[in-house]
DNA sequence: AAAAAAGGTGTGTTCGAGCACATTTTTTTA
DNA sequence: TAAAAAAATGTGCTCGAACACACCTTTTTT
């Protein structure tokens, strides 16, 4: 019953040749009704699963997947993605799948567009990208779609019917998780929601997290808390943050919506002795260092490595094994404190 | 440069036949020093990676892996393992790997031994088991070793040189994680560490968690807490727990070292109105239900599904792709509260 | 009625590794 | 030096799916 049937087996059972069975299996036509019926009868009885190894061995087609990634040189946030994609490269090297990373400067739309052009000249079978620049991404995706190049996204969500799949996290919910932890650390007081970003490219990202964060406090009617939003840039943290702390003596917690918690922690430790609860995102080295020092209380792990890995591996599995590509994959919102951090760092 | 070389390519480059190349690659001998050198020269220049698909297609050998699992009928704790193994079955069905689950009654050593005998008669290539019964497991593993059957373990750790691999969690550290969360919820008071188990088969498991839990409070010198250990059985929770609560009016938190937090939560809700912080293990339905009701504050996810999956998949990867089997795989200690639970339930 | 086209079927080759076996070359022995 | 043994090397088949192509049969066209 567990026996694995081959096309040859089916041919023998149906009393035809393997060529005819092949034509039936692939709907290639040129089969008489009589033969079709005989073969279908056999197929209904047995459970035929084509041998994927044999199929793959024969196919000489090489699948090309390009990954469009912000250069980690500009932001270490993207470093784990490289490692995730390298895992995929190793895994699928044996099959006829070539995966290439193309970097762009996350601060420059021009760089983004230029790298996309390079990719288009390569005419890959699929592209995985992070839609950092909303308007430009929509344009680009349309181009890919016209060329018949499949597009998957990760990290940032963008609405487009041309996108095959999205891998990421539920940002609203992750804001709620942060809020629930903050509520555990603090009995009351003022909480600042700090967005740090040079440009506005992460705007939606950050807003969703804030929305989730606020929704928790509103829903629970926690009136002994007051929430304030603060927008900062890398360049003005050192001046604006101390000023904000002076103006808000009741401040007892800060939720940082990006991976830049370390910048807040660092500035904070120079400015005040006061114990302020910090919750941020991502296990980048500097954040973990402050976590270990006790200056950051919790980090939410967005698992970019796995996001990137899943982004390409679903594509590769689709090409090699004809697996379906799930429309959305939402990764769990991992809660990290000093005690369990080491297990998430790879 | 990325070109994939075949044995035929190497043969051509070295000016020998593919048979000779094959003998060199597999150290099968019967190769002249001259030929050896020529081939090695080529191998040093190019980066030869055998085509795993072709290798696997040829091999007619069917690998058999047996999984020895406590029947989830007796304890739903084991249910996710079944699903994890089924994932592996689906994944490796295409290759020549047959994976079978054999159930035993976790309350009966006899059942454990009997199932092992059944497995031995099947003479599989490898066995994955949960060493619930320490003494019996040691015996059994020795038997498997003598028969040349590879043994992997998961969930419970057992010392034996015959064991190839262990997949699980660092229980000491998971106790510490629980402690750090408890310390966050409570400012002070008495905390009970409750072990619930019918027999002693989980003794080591539970003790490690307790040790970790206590170590956290000792290390931090948290003198405003007092820790008490309490051992219960399924049958006497309803009587002993209320009595314990009466005797300890200062009790403000409970750490349950097994997956039976729901039993404590259920009894507690009938006995007292007092808000007692509960931290337990595992995302079984009843636990999640109490988590959603707010009666359980945190659950630590032991991810049995992934444990079981990794247990067999490392074996299958070893057989198919000759991958190394890691000696220990420690899964992350996932912190779950009501806000992020849904993402971990599959 | 002959030729052409379309329909139907089977055969044979390919992919790359692995291994059995045949063949050639070298060395040893009588 | 010839025969036997050993060593070295090459050839050819297998695994299963995919597909090209050759072949035969039936239908359509001129």
């Amino acid at each position: 019953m567990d026996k694995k049937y081959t096309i040859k087996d089916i041919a023998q059972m149906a009393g035809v040749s393997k060529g005819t069975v092949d034509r039936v299996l692939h709907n290639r036509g040129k089969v008489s009704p009589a033969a079709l019926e005989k073969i279908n009868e056999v197929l209904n009885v047995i459970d035929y699963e084509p041998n994927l190894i044999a199929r793959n061995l024969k196919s000489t087609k090489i699948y090309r997947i390009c990954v469009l990634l912000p250069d980690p040189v500009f932001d270490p946030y993207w470093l784990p993605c490289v490692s995730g994609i390298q895992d995929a490269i190793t895994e699928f090297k044996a099959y006829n799948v070539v995966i290439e990373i193309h970097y762009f400067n996350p601060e420059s739309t021009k760089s983004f567009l230029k790298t996309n052009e390079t990719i288009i000249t390569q005419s890959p079978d699929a592209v995985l990208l992070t839609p950092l620049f909303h308007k430009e991404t929509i344009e680009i995706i349309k181009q890919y779609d016209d060329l018949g190049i499949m597009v998957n996204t990760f990290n940032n969500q963008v609405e487009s019917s041309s996108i095959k799949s999205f891998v990421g996290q539920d940002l609203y919910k992750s804001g709620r998780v942060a809020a629930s932890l903050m509520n555990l650390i603090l009995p009351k007081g003022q909480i600042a929601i700090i967005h740090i970003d040079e440009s506005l490219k992460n705007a939606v990202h950050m807003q969703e997290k804030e929305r989730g964060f606020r929704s928790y406090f509103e829903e629970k009617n926690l009136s002994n808390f007051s929430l304030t939003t603060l927008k900062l840039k890398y360049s003005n943290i050192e001046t604006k943050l101390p000023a904000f702390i002076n103006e808000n003596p009741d401040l007892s917690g800060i939720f940082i919506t990006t991976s830049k918690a370390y910048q807040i922690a660092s500035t904070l430790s120079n400015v005040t002795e006061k114990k302020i609860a910090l919750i941020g995102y991502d296990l980048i080295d500097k954040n973990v260092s402050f976590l270990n020092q006790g200056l950051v209380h919790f980090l939410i792990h967005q698992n970019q490595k796995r996001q990137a890995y899943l982004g390409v591996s679903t594509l590769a599995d689709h090409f090699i094994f004809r697996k379906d590509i799930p429309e959305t994959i939402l990764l769990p919102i991992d809660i990290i404190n000093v005690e369990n951090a080491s297990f998430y760092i790879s």
Side-chain angles (χ1 to χ4, degrees), chain A:
Chain A
M1 60 227 293
D2 269 11
K3 183 179 171 356
K4 279 201 279 186
Y5 294 94
T6 70
I7 286 187
K8 222 168 121 190
D9 293 331
I10 298 169
Q12 203 173 5
M13 286 188 265
V16 295
S17 76
K18 66 196 179 86
T20 309
V21 176
D22 180 72
R23 275 183 287 271
V24 170
L25 288 174
H26 294 89
N27 291 313
R28 274 197 249 275
K30 312 227 170 185
V31 175
S32 69
L36 182 68
E37 205 197 337
K38 274 191 292 180
I39 292 169
N40 274 332
E41 239 166 63
V42 175
L43 287 177
N44 284 334
V45 175
I46 67 156
D47 187 26
Y48 174 68
E49 294 263 356
N51 185 327
L52 301 176
I53 300 161
R55 167 185 289 170
N56 218 275
L57 176 63
K58 169 62 181 153
S59 86
T60 48
K61 159 93 180 144
I62 291 171
Y63 295 98
R64 302 174 56 81
I65 301 173
C66 286
V67 183
L68 187 58
L69 198 69
D71 197 325
V73 165
F74 297 99
D75 190 344
Y77 173 87
W78 302 102
L79 205 54
C81 298
V82 178
S83 136
I85 288 158
Q86 254 146 15
D87 282 359
I89 292 175
T90 313
E91 185 177 344
F92 296 107
K93 181 172 57 180
Y95 305 84
N96 295 318
V97 179
V98 176
I99 301 162
E100 271 170 19
I101 309 181
H102 295 258
Y103 297 106
F104 70 94
N105 178 347
E107 304 299 339
S108 152
T109 37
K110 220 186 259 173
S111 163
F112 177 72
L113 290 168
K114 209 184 136 206
T115 316
N116 265 301
E117 289 200 9
T118 316
I119 291 176
I120 282 179
T121 61
Q122 306 227 2
S123 61
D125 296 279
V127 172
L128 175 70
L129 54 83
T130 46
L132 276 200
F133 308 104
H134 189 268
K135 206 183 71 193
E136 288 78 3
T137 306
I138 296 287
E139 278 292 311
I140 283 289
I141 286 172
K142 213 172 154 301
Q143 272 190 59
Y144 284 126
D145 200 38
D146 289 344
L147 290 163
I149 297 171
M150 199 183 285
V151 177
N152 278 13
T153 56
F154 77 102
N155 196 70
N156 298 63
Q157 207 154 4
V158 151
E159 287 299 322
S160 165
S161 56
S162 304
I163 291 176
K164 192 84 189 149
S165 163
F166 166 71
V167 184
Q169 244 176 12
D170 187 323
L171 303 174
Y172 176 82
K173 289 261 180 74
S174 90
R176 283 186 64 97
V177 170
S180 71
L181 296 172
M182 192 63 94
N183 184 29
L184 210 60
I185 305 173
L186 302 176
K188 63 183 170 68
Q190 191 190 352
I191 298 168
I193 300 160
I194 298 189
H195 303 304
I196 308 174
D197 208 32
E198 209 57 41
S199 54
L200 278 172
K201 64 181 190 299
N202 282 327
V204 186
H205 221 100
M206 300 186 298
Q207 272 162 30
E208 273 298 286
K209 288 170 179 173
E210 171 168 358
R211 210 165 61 79
F213 194 83
R214 285 183 179 273
S215 86
Y216 184 90
F217 285 95
E218 279 159 24
E219 198 177 275
K220 306 265 167 178
N221 263 316
L222 299 168
S223 50
N224 42 350
F225 288 97
S226 75
L227 304 186
T228 321
T229 305
L230 182 63
K231 283 181 190 165
L232 296 176
K233 296 189 174 197
Y234 308 156
S235 46
N236 64 18
I237 291 178
E238 303 254 337
T239 55
K240 287 212 172 170
L241 185 60
F244 181 81
I245 288 167
N246 276 336
E247 287 161 21
N248 299 276
D250 201 27
L251 184 75
S252 39
I254 298 176
F255 171 47
I256 302 108
T257 57
T258 60
S259 61
K260 306 291 182 279
Y262 63 90
Q263 294 187 328
I264 302 293
S266 158
T267 308
L268 225 53
S269 65
N270 294 331
V271 169
T272 174
E273 284 298 304
K274 212 170 99 183
K275 189 93 173 149
I276 291 178
L278 288 190
I279 297 179
Y281 280 87
D282 303 316
L283 298 181
I284 60 177
D285 289 351
K286 287 178 188 163
N287 281 346
V288 173
S289 162
F290 281 110
L291 189 72
N292 287 330
Q293 288 172 48
L295 290 173
V296 169
H297 290 69
F298 279 106
L299 288 171
I300 288 172
H301 184 33
Q302 303 196 84
N303 214 340
Q304 304 92 333
K305 178 175 171 175
R306 193 156 172 75
Q307 284 191 27
Y309 171 80
L310 285 173
V312 286
S313 70
T314 50
L315 282 168
D317 278 337
H318 173 70
F319 290 134
I320 307 171
F321 301 117
R322 323 224 170 152
K323 281 193 194 160
D324 288 340
I325 298 179
E327 224 172 85
T328 30
I329 301 177
L330 291 180
L331 294 187
I333 298 162
D334 294 322
I335 298 171
I336 313 295
N337 71 5
V338 66
E339 293 299 331
N340 72 341
S342 64
F343 297 101
Y344 290 89
I345 302 164
S346 52

